[in-house]
Amino acid sequence: MSEPGADQKAEKPERLRKVGGGTAENTQAAHQADTACNEHTEDRIPVPLEKVLCRENMLRAYQRVLSNQGAPGVDGMTVDELMPMLRKRWDAIRKELLDGTYQPAPVRKVEIPKPGGKGVQTLGIPTVLDRLIQQALYQVLQAWYDRCFSDHSFGFRLGRGAHDAVERAREHMAAGYRWVVDMDLEKFFDRVNHDILMSRLARRIEDKRILRLIRRYLQAGMMEGGLVSPRVEGTPQGGPLSPLLSNILLDELDQELERRGHRFVRYADDCNIYVRSRRAGERVLASTERFLRDRLRLTVNREKSAVDRPGNRKFLGYTVSMHYQPKLRVAPESVKRLKDRLRALFRSGRGRNLGRLIEDLRPILVGWTSYFRKAEVRQTFEDLDQWIRRKLRAILWRQWKRPWTRSRELMRRGLDHVRAWVSATNGHGPWWNAGASHMNHAVPNRYFARLGLVSLLQESQRLVRTL
């Protein structure tokens, strides 16, 4: 049922509105009005719990859990042990779920270091049984919720991803919105208010048993060192439901930003709002911070949030050039993160066959290049190629160890006797020698290509051609 006056709002003539330091286009304003009107109808989800637990949906959920593998929960059960257990106990488990007596097991606490050594990220690993039930819930609810989410939301959604988000962000910059309000929500997944989230879920979900089950998953304790601590807030990452619940809560932020006429892009808890001036950006940041605090009980991390030029900030690993028509670039932090990851492999490869080390490098380099294939500034790829080859040459120099071995290897690879001996006894370290002309001559780029080393530049160019 529509809210009184909603149709009249949608039929108002299009007009220009001054928002965020600039002027919003007519079509955008009309779309936002329509979205706001449609949202007020609060389409209900008439899906009973029986639909979630039907054989077809549970089999799909099982195949997804099986393909994802993942670590065991607090009960130690592996994914491979799940099906034999279900054959014996599924009827009883299903009855508990339908009766409302099922109690999820606590999640297992796991802490992983954040990129750049900036603290740790807490994960809550559910048991494989709870992952199966959460996946079944996710599959049914996602299909209903996704069509109601904002067009500006890209995280954890079907048919959308990080590349779509950065492309949309660039469109806003190219349209003249050259300042960004880069907001960071402080410990978002640890600070979600359960009551607020459940109230948003209750607006649409009709079956109270589904709501009760989700509440129990939110409140399932966290086990660390054999002790279970209760949870009164947060949705720890690690379960299939967590991404959907975060989108449901933050959809209210999307609606508010659309109502105000802002240009923005949100990917999970990363939200960038694009405006025309710093002054407008400061106003938007302050008002949005108030909205998040008062309406959703969420806190903006002021130390990590800023109003700045987009080229000085990173979004999903990307940044942009300062051109009038901005070009996507790999953010310096992303390059540093890759180098830190590769350094660990290089250290372990000092005593190994170089070909096997390059085999271990291949999936990392291919995956990294695939993610950053949208980058239009290619210098980063070329610089990384040179750095990787120099690292590999340094490994060879270390493996040769003694001057006479180094001299022999250099001569074997084409250097004359005098140059080889002078180079082998120059007294400089491996990194200096790896960048010197004698090593570039003795170990040319084609040598690494024969061993199967992936060139980031060539791989990125190949991926662009296939788009």
Side-chain angles (χ1 to χ4, degrees):
M1 187 169 67
S2 300
E3 185 181 71
D7 293 336
Q8 289 84 342
K9 292 179 185 177
E11 294 172 359
K12 284 184 178 179
E14 297 175 348
R15 60 175 180 172
L16 296 177
R17 294 177 56 202
K18 191 78 171 179
V19 290
T23 304
E25 284 82 352
N26 295 345
T27 54
Q28 184 188 16
H31 167 72
Q32 290 157 355
D34 290 342
T35 303
C37 294
N38 293 337
E39 184 57 35
H40 283 302
T41 63
E42 296 292 1
D43 296 333
R44 304 288 287 176
I45 302 178
V47 177
L49 185 56
E50 285 81 1
K51 176 71 173 178
V52 174
L53 302 178
C54 73
R55 179 179 176 82
E56 180 184 359
N57 190 51
M58 294 304 300
L59 285 175
R60 282 178 53 217
Y62 172 76
Q63 291 299 328
R64 187 58 184 265
V65 171
L66 187 64
S67 64
N68 288 342
Q69 289 296 310
V74 294
D75 60 356
M77 182 184 294
T78 64
V79 173
D80 295 331
E81 297 170 326
L82 178 59
M83 183 55 76
M85 184 276 291
L86 290 175
R87 289 194 179 104
K88 295 178 181 178
R89 295 189 49 212
W90 175 243
D91 288 341
I93 294 170
R94 186 176 186 277
K95 184 176 185 303
E96 289 179 8
L97 288 165
L98 294 174
D99 292 345
T101 58
Y102 179 81
Q103 292 291 342
V107 297
R108 181 168 62 88
K109 184 177 181 180
V110 175
E111 292 182 340
I112 59 174
K114 288 185 176 180
K118 301 176 182 177
V120 295
Q121 180 180 358
T122 301
L123 300 182
I125 308 299
T127 63
V128 289
L129 174 60
D130 285 325
R131 290 211 294 272
L132 174 71
I133 297 169
Q134 286 192 36
Q135 180 65 34
L137 282 167
Y138 170 84
Q139 289 170 177
V140 171
L141 296 179
Q142 174 73 13
W144 284 85
Y145 271 104
D146 193 73
R147 60 189 179 187
C148 301
F149 286 150
S150 168
D151 184 52
H152 304 277
S153 168
F154 293 87
F156 311 120
R157 295 187 60 189
L158 302 175
R160 288 171 169 247
H163 291 160
D164 303 303
V166 295
E167 286 283 10
R168 180 70 63 84
R170 182 175 58 173
E171 290 175 10
H172 294 326
M173 296 175 231
Y177 295 79
R178 309 305 292 269
W179 289 87
V180 62
V181 181
D182 185 0
M183 284 196 313
D184 180 88
L185 297 179
E186 187 172 356
K187 297 182 178 179
F188 169 71
F189 286 96
D190 297 331
R191 300 283 178 84
V192 169
N193 185 288
H194 290 175
D195 291 334
I196 292 177
L197 174 57
M198 291 306 303
S199 71
R200 300 323 184 250
L201 290 167
R203 291 176 180 177
R204 294 188 184 276
I205 299 175
E206 291 185 349
D207 194 328
K208 298 295 190 289
R209 295 171 298 175
I210 294 179
L211 294 173
R212 186 184 306 117
L213 182 58
I214 293 175
R215 166 76 81 167
R216 285 180 179 172
Y217 274 121
L218 289 174
Q219 295 179 335
M222 182 173 288
M223 179 176 286
E224 182 181 20
L227 298 176
V228 178
S229 57
R231 242 186 19 239
V232 295
E233 63 179 1
T235 59
Q237 295 169 277
L241 263 182
S242 183
L244 175 60
L245 297 180
S246 67
N247 270 339
I248 292 172
L249 183 64
L250 291 176
D251 186 58
E252 190 156 343
L253 170 64
D254 298 341
Q255 294 176 39
E256 177 66 15
L257 294 177
E258 286 183 350
R259 187 186 65 78
R260 298 180 185 183
H262 291 310
R263 289 175 174 260
F264 69 98
V265 179
R266 185 178 66 77
Y267 190 97
D269 57 332
D270 288 334
C271 184
N272 280 4
I273 307 171
Y274 296 89
V275 295
R276 291 187 182 274
S277 68
R278 177 184 287 276
R279 187 175 178 182
E282 296 291 354
R283 290 197 306 268
V284 170
L285 178 58
S287 63
T288 306
E289 182 179 17
R290 285 195 302 271
F291 173 83
L292 288 167
R293 182 185 63 243
D294 298 341
R295 187 72 66 86
L296 301 180
R297 301 293 188 269
L298 297 173
T299 304
V300 172
N301 188 332
R302 275 287 187 164
E303 292 184 2
K304 296 182 180 179
S305 303
V307 178
D308 205 343
R309 293 291 190 182
N312 298 329
R313 309 293 295 181
K314 74 175 176 70
F315 181 54
L316 301 178
Y318 284 84
T319 186
V320 294
S321 67
M322 295 297 186
H323 295 90
Y324 181 75
Q325 292 295 321
K327 296 181 178 181
L328 292 175
R329 300 173 52 197
V330 182
E333 295 91 335
S334 301
V335 174
K336 181 180 181 301
R337 192 179 307 171
L338 175 66
K339 285 185 174 182
D340 290 342
R341 186 179 181 186
L342 294 181
R343 282 190 183 99
L345 268 179
F346 291 141
R347 283 193 294 270
S348 68
R350 292 175 184 175
R352 297 174 56 199
N353 177 276
L354 201 64
R356 292 178 182 174
L357 173 61
I358 288 174
E359 286 180 10
D360 292 341
L361 287 175
R362 181 176 181 81
I364 298 174
L365 300 180
V366 170
W368 191 88
T369 310
S370 177
Y371 180 78
F372 288 105
R373 66 181 182 270
K374 289 288 184 178
E376 299 161 291
V377 180
R378 300 291 171 183
Q379 187 64 43
T380 300
F381 298 102
E382 188 174 351
D383 292 345
L384 279 170
D385 279 337
Q386 294 175 3
W387 181 82
I388 291 169
R389 289 192 293 263
R390 188 170 178 178
K391 278 287 188 181
L392 293 173
R393 291 187 180 105
I395 289 174
L396 281 176
W397 188 261
R398 284 192 177 94
Q399 289 179 348
W400 295 342
K401 292 185 179 178
R402 298 179 181 177
W404 66 269
T405 306
R406 290 168 177 169
S407 176
R408 183 189 65 199
E409 289 291 338
L410 291 173
M411 286 190 292
R412 189 170 68 85
R413 295 163 186 267
L415 273 67
D416 62 71
H417 175 77
V418 174
R419 187 184 179 195
W421 182 250
V422 171
S423 300
T425 57
N426 59 39
H428 290 287
W431 183 248
W432 186 92
N433 279 281
S437 60
H438 55 269
M439 279 299 283
N440 281 272
H441 178 84
V443 191
N445 295 351
R446 62 178 177 274
Y447 170 78
F448 297 117
R450 285 199 302 270
L451 291 178
L453 179 65
V454 174
S455 166
L456 300 180
L457 180 61
Q458 293 177 6
E459 180 68 10
S460 67
Q461 291 171 339
R462 184 188 70 80
L463 290 170
V464 168
R465 288 194 297 270
T466 59
L467 289 177

